[in-house]
Amino acid sequence: MNPTSPKTFPVSWEELHRTAKALAWRLVGLKEWKGIVAVTRGGLVPAAMIARKLNVRLIDIFCVSSYDVISTGEGQSGKATILKTTIAGDGEGWLIVDDLVDTGNTAKAVRELLPKAHFATIYAKPAGRPLVDTFVTEVSQDTWIYFPWDIEPQYVQPIAEMNRK
């Protein structure tokens, strides 16, 4: 997915919080979690929000790199590189949290090492959707999601001014 796609989905902090809360409601009765594994970097903030909602205090990280916007200009680089994981075993009883499942490259890498963990994301695209157990919002494959940590407020011309050009 190209970050310059005309189909964009900007997510505000308030919307992210509301959607993370909805995800927590879907997860609360499933089981008692040993802990949460946040998939870096995008899953860090949602994992913190969900940990608070589920009252889970043990949070670990699974560091994966699959996006390479700067060097490729294309979005995902095509392969997931595992940078760090500390969870031993097959993931039984653990909750994996990420912001988004896109092509599924990251999810596949995480699933290989933690096949029995429950994988939850806030957003899911069709190509990656089968790899997660729980999600809240589905968006089209050709939509680029702008998370609040990726954007800054900036001046935007009034529509009337843009229309005059």
Side-chain angles (χ1 to χ4, degrees):
M1 179 57 231
N2 189 325
T4 61
S5 170
K7 287 177 133 180
T8 60
F9 186 74
V11 177
S12 69
W13 284 109
E14 292 80 10
E15 182 175 358
L16 181 70
H17 187 261
R18 189 172 41 253
T19 314
K21 186 175 183 179
L23 183 57
W25 274 111
R26 292 180 186 192
L27 298 167
V28 71
L30 295 180
K31 64 171 59 181
E32 291 292 320
W33 305 107
K34 290 180 183 176
I36 291 177
V37 179
V39 179
T40 68
R41 289 178 309 211
L44 288 169
V45 173
M49 292 174 167
I50 291 165
R52 169 69 171 83
K53 301 292 183 204
L54 299 181
N55 201 26
V56 174
R57 299 210 180 251
L58 181 58
I59 302 174
D60 211 327
I61 57 171
F62 195 108
C63 302
V64 183
S65 175
S66 62
Y67 281 87
D68 194 7
V69 177
I70 294 170
S71 65
T72 66
E74 297 280 325
Q76 282 207 323
S77 63
K79 69 172 199 141
T81 303
I82 298 168
L83 305 172
K84 178 185 178 190
T85 182
T86 57
I87 302 297
D90 58 12
E92 179 68 39
W94 285 86
L95 173 61
I96 300 167
V97 176
D98 205 353
D99 56 350
L100 161 75
V101 62
D102 189 334
T103 63
N105 292 336
T106 299
K108 286 175 193 168
V110 174
R111 281 268 190 221
E112 274 184 26
L113 293 173
L114 302 172
K116 292 189 178 180
H118 187 95
F119 204 131
T121 62
I122 293 179
Y123 300 100
K125 292 186 180 182
R129 183 177 171 205
L131 295 164
V132 297
D133 300 304
T134 307
F135 70 95
V136 177
T137 303
E138 185 170 356
V139 296
S140 65
Q141 197 68 43
D142 60 344
T143 298
W144 187 262
I145 300 174
Y146 286 102
F147 288 98
W149 51 83
D150 290 329
I151 56 178
E152 294 181 340
Q154 62 183 352
Y155 173 78
V156 176
Q157 277 189 317
I159 293 172
E161 293 297 319
M162 291 189 294
N163 202 23
R164 289 184 187 156
K165 293 182 180 182

